[in-house]
Amino acid sequence: MSRGQFLIRGMNLAIIGTGYVGLTTGTCFAEVGHKVVCVDNNEDKVKSLRQGKMPIYEPDLEDMIVSNVSAGRLEFTTNLKDAVRDCEIIFIAVPTPPHEDGSVDLSYIEGVSREIADALTPDMGYRIVVDKSTVPVSTGVKVLQVIERYSHKGVDIDVVSNPEFLREGSAVYDLLNPDRIVIGADSQRAMDMMKRVYQPFNAPIVEVDLASAELIKHAANSFLALKISYINAVSAVCEKAGADVELVAMGIGMDKRISRHFLNAGLGYGGSCFPKDVKGFINVAEQLGAPMELLKEVERVNTAQLERFLGRIRKKLWVLRNKKIAVWGIAFKQNTDDVRESVAVKLIKRLCEEGAEVCAYDPKAAETGAAALAGYDVTICDDMYECVRDAEVLIVATEWKQFATANLVKVRELMRLPILFDGRNIIHGENALHAGFEYHSIGRKTLRPTED
Ligand code: UGA
């Protein structure tokens, strides 16, 4: 939808949790004309947000928060009770981190459900509690039980599942231009009100029952992870066969049934969603007695992808100890400062453990990266060219655009040896070759300058 397409009458919405999903969803709801109050129990965070300071880097988010706050459509508070009193719909967007065994930790969801129950009174009228966080199937039923158990007799509520499909790095765009909006409700009254929330979004609404909506989210993320692992497994075959995984992806991706999206071979998937959600779905399926062995293989391929890449670097450099290695990219993907489950961080740690002198650069994740790499002897540079000075190999670990358009001749001149390992297939191989590099990538032939 286009910005500025407003509702005739906005609704009063509360969002509990100002993490990635909560903050961006709340802001986009305000952007389309709803009146939104974002609640967080972290006072410092709320104070910073009120001052316009962002807890995360996300393109376009800051401007949108500032303009909606000044338009009076968006506010931040620690007061959950007032938010529940004032808002018709309460979205839960708190973290659902993994337990050691892969099962999902639902204690934040349970805690917030109890707080909502405490705040509800029968005189408030009808309220909808919406689960936005990624949760295992049947969580909604439990949220309803908790609220009914702990609230005053006679409160009138429904629980709805409305999973979010935004990607970090393009969250605002994804929220305003969704492929579809999934609403899972077991009551028509709740469904009708939820459809009003999404009236300004020009997207098809998938109206389903509560359990199906919860499953759609886990199944979608696991399927995308499966696509990535599939192309990564194909990339290993391509390397052995002398084929080119990019051409294979293009050829299969033109079949509409397959599509080219999420078929980029690389170092594997990371981030706060896919690793956790694949594990979570494996666990849920097992609990339900319908194990998804397929997803275990998805995880195995993902881990193997980094190991294979490390093996190729070792083969080239022989011993890593005391080798100066430059790494471009620390974030788990481009356009974010998020380093959670970042494959780049895992790679850097492994190189350090093997005694390499690692110098890393990331356009946005220098600070978060330094925290994630605390205790490791790694230098974090604030300039991508300084990072490669005297390096014996350059590794591209995150798919930032500026790495793809780097001045490779300058990079080559600064380095000690002309070896480039592109873990994301974003550098133009011929350009690397012309700059004098030996170019290694994923699922493609190594390009070597001809000696004459
Ligand atoms: C993912 C989903 O794409 C969103 O739809 C979902 O809402 C979100 O999880 C979530 O559950 O909250 P996100 O983790 O932000 O979004 O990022 P993606 O763009 O999906 O990338 C995930 C990982 O896969 C990254 O490490 C990326 O480098 C990798 N990837 C992605 C590939 O290796 N190849 C690809 O073709 C695409």
Side-chain angles (χ1 to χ4, degrees):
M1 66 155 285
S2 59
R3 279 179 72 167
Q5 184 181 328
F6 290 110
L7 281 170
I8 298 162
R9 186 183 82 77
M11 299 166 87
N12 292 325
L13 309 176
I15 315 277
I16 321 277
T18 56
Y20 240 102
V21 170
L23 186 59
T24 45
T25 308
T27 306
C28 290
F29 280 158
E31 177 72 9
V32 300
H34 293 300
K35 195 158 182 331
V36 179
V37 51
C38 288
V39 185
D40 204 291
N41 59 7
N42 181 333
E43 278 181 31
D44 290 340
K45 199 174 183 187
V46 167
K47 210 187 268 170
S48 299
L49 281 164
R50 282 178 174 161
Q51 291 163 357
K53 287 189 205 138
M54 295 302 108
I56 49 167
Y57 168 74
E58 186 62 39
D60 302 328
L61 184 63
E62 185 168 352
D63 286 352
M64 210 177 261
I65 288 181
V66 171
S67 71
N68 280 288
V69 167
S70 63
R73 285 192 302 269
L74 180 63
E75 59 176 300
F76 300 98
T77 180
T78 52
N79 193 331
L80 185 140
K81 242 190 171 85
D82 285 357
V84 169
R85 189 196 56 218
D86 297 340
C87 297
E88 308 150 78
I89 306 186
I90 302 133
F91 290 81
I92 303 180
V94 294
T96 50
H99 284 301
E100 281 280 295
D101 65 354
S103 63
V104 184
D105 177 355
L106 293 168
S107 56
Y108 296 105
I109 299 266
E110 201 259 359
V112 166
S113 306
R114 286 178 60 161
E115 282 186 65
I116 293 172
D118 271 348
L120 285 169
T121 52
D123 59 301
M124 281 176 188
Y126 182 54
R127 289 286 180 273
I128 300 179
V129 175
V130 184
D131 186 17
K132 261 256 168 249
S133 309
T134 304
V135 292
V137 60
S138 83
T139 300
V141 171
K142 294 199 183 99
V143 167
L144 183 62
Q145 281 167 1
V146 169
I147 296 178
E148 284 176 343
R149 189 176 300 151
Y150 289 98
S151 61
H152 299 267
K153 286 269 162 300
V155 299
D156 188 11
I157 60 152
D158 271 313
V159 171
V160 165
S161 167
N162 172 219
E164 186 44 62
F165 299 99
L166 65 84
R167 291 161 301 172
E168 291 187 22
S170 52
V172 169
Y173 177 86
D174 289 349
L175 268 157
L176 294 177
N177 303 277
D179 286 349
R180 80 306 201 184
I181 289 151
V182 173
I183 303 175
D186 292 340
S187 106
Q188 195 54 47
R189 180 160 64 146
M191 183 63 81
D192 291 344
M193 249 172 98
M194 286 300 292
K195 279 160 73 179
R196 270 181 53 213
V197 174
Y198 284 102
Q199 182 210 312
F201 295 78
N202 187 20
I205 293 184
V206 184
E207 295 181 44
V208 294
D209 59 278
L210 193 56
S212 299
E214 291 170 331
L215 259 175
I216 285 171
K217 174 66 191 197
H218 256 161
N221 271 9
S222 297
F223 188 78
L224 292 169
L226 181 143
K227 268 191 104 170
I228 298 169
S229 275
Y230 181 77
I231 200 66
N232 282 337
V234 170
S235 79
V237 180
C238 287
E239 280 165 28
K240 298 278 184 208
D244 184 327
V245 73
E246 296 298 325
L247 301 179
V248 175
M250 181 180 73
I252 62 175
M254 284 171 79
D255 184 329
K256 286 195 191 73
R257 294 170 302 174
I258 297 173
S259 113
R260 178 65 183 80
H261 299 291
F262 276 67
L263 276 185
N264 295 318
L267 293 178
Y269 60 79
S272 65
C273 302
F274 287 170
K276 166 179 83 90
D277 293 347
V278 170
K279 273 198 171 49
F281 200 27
I282 291 173
N283 189 277
V284 172
E286 248 161 36
Q287 300 288 325
L288 292 170
M292 297 268 293
E293 295 299 319
L294 176 67
L295 292 181
K296 292 189 180 161
E297 186 60 13
V298 167
E299 289 188 310
R300 195 199 61 74
V301 171
N302 200 49
T303 311
Q305 198 68 359
L306 176 60
E307 293 309 318
R308 219 159 43 78
F309 191 67
L310 276 165
R312 290 170 60 200
I313 295 169
R314 267 186 226 110
K315 195 169 166 201
K316 183 69 210 171
L317 295 184
W318 189 19
V319 172
L320 296 188
R321 180 159 299 281
N322 298 330
K323 295 273 162 56
K324 184 158 182 222
I325 300 183
V327 179
W328 278 355
I330 307 174
F332 85 95
K333 61 179 279 192
Q334 80 283 24
N335 296 334
T336 180
D337 60 355
D338 196 343
V339 296
R340 286 175 289 173
E341 290 289 321
S342 165
V343 183
V345 169
K346 288 185 186 154
L347 170 82
I348 293 169
K349 285 183 176 174
R350 292 292 297 277
L351 296 171
C352 290
E353 280 159 4
E354 293 188 36
E357 283 175 37
V358 182
C359 200
Y361 167 79
D362 191 285
K364 291 286 174 200
E367 218 173 288
T368 47
L373 291 162
Y376 286 82
D377 194 11
V378 46
T379 309
I380 297 188
C381 288
D382 53 15
D383 181 276
M384 63 190 268
Y385 294 102
E386 266 318 299
C387 176
V388 303
R389 191 179 286 280
D390 298 326
E392 283 148 283
V393 59
L394 166 62
I395 302 173
V396 178
T398 307
E399 57 272 50
W400 283 97
K401 266 208 182 79
Q402 67 200 83
F403 301 155
T405 54
N407 180 343
L408 292 178
V409 173
K410 181 172 169 187
V411 174
R412 163 70 196 98
E413 280 164 4
L414 286 164
M415 286 176 66
R416 181 149 183 210
L417 298 177
I419 305 169
L420 175 49
F421 273 84
D422 182 359
R424 296 289 174 185
N425 285 3
I426 56 165
I427 305 270
H428 197 285
E430 288 300 319
N431 291 351
L433 202 58
H434 286 137
F437 277 105
E438 182 177 298
Y439 176 72
H440 302 255
S441 58
I442 305 284
R444 295 187 296 187
K445 280 185 198 149
T446 298
L447 303 179
R448 295 187 170 80
T450 43
E451 313 219 342
D452 39 29

